[in-house]
């Protein structure tokens, strides 16, 4: 399957910014969408933002207006620009790619995650 490697996480003060990157590698496949999810301590993993093959985007209400998802198709990379960060944004962030394995089957591949910590 496709391998994903995230980077860009770290420690930042409230109000600051971070940019996450996720690079896809492996077999040449048709990618339909890419997205970012996050999981905070004691909570379930939740969707943060997605971007489709047609570059349409969707965001969780909690990050709308602060986060921006984008992709570089030439580099098979998806980005998450995070601005005006809040302590409640603290979580492990995971990227996901959905791609076609066959003409009738789509698969998901997940990255290992990158930690984002926002201090107050």
């Amino acid at each position: 399957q496709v391998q994903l490697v995230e980077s860009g996480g770290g420690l930042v003060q409230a109000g600051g910014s971070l940019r996450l990157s996720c690079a896809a590698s492996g077999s040449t496949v048709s990618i339909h969408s890419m997205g970012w999810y996050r999981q905070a301590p004691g909570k379930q993993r939740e969707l943060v933002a997605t971007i489709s093959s047609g570059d349409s985007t969707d965001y969780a209400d909690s990050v709308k207006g602060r986060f921006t998802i984008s992709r570089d198709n030439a580099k098979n990379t998806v980005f998450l620009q995070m601005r005006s960060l809040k302590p409640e944004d603290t979580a492990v962030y995971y990227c996901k790619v959905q791609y076609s394995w066959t003409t009738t089957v789509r698969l998901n591949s997940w990255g290992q995650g990158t930690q984002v910590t926002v201090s107050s």
Side-chain angles (χ1 to χ4, degrees), residues 61-75:
D61 288 341
S62 60
V63 307
K64 196 170 298 181
R66 299 187 298 118
F67 291 10
T68 302
I69 188 171
S70 61
R71 65 192 300 174
D72 184 338
N73 291 332
K75 298 181 179 179

Side-chain angles (χ1 to χ4, degrees), residues 36-120:
W36 289 95
Y37 298 73
R38 67 186 181 186
Q39 187 167 21
K43 298 183 179 180
Q44 296 185 17
R45 187 173 298 184
E46 64 176 351
L47 186 148
V48 177
T50 59
I51 184 166
S52 72
S53 59
D55 288 339
S56 63
T57 58
D58 197 13
Y59 298 90
D61 288 341
S62 60
V63 307
K64 196 170 298 181
R66 299 187 298 118
F67 291 10
T68 302
I69 188 171
S70 61
R71 65 192 300 174
D72 184 338
N73 291 332
K75 298 181 179 179
N76 291 324
T77 302
V78 63
F79 306 95
L80 185 68
Q81 179 66 55
M82 304 184 293
R83 296 174 287 104
S84 301
L85 283 162
K86 304 175 180 180
E88 49 263 46
D89 295 319
T90 296
V92 177
Y93 285 70
Y94 301 87
C95 64
K96 187 193 78 174
V97 60
Q98 184 176 80
Y99 61 96
S100 293
W101 181 246
T102 68
T103 56
T104 59
V105 178
R106 292 183 179 182
L107 298 178
N108 295 323
S109 186
W110 291 85
Q112 62 182 316
T114 184
Q115 176 71 47
V116 171
T117 302
V118 184
S119 63
S120 60

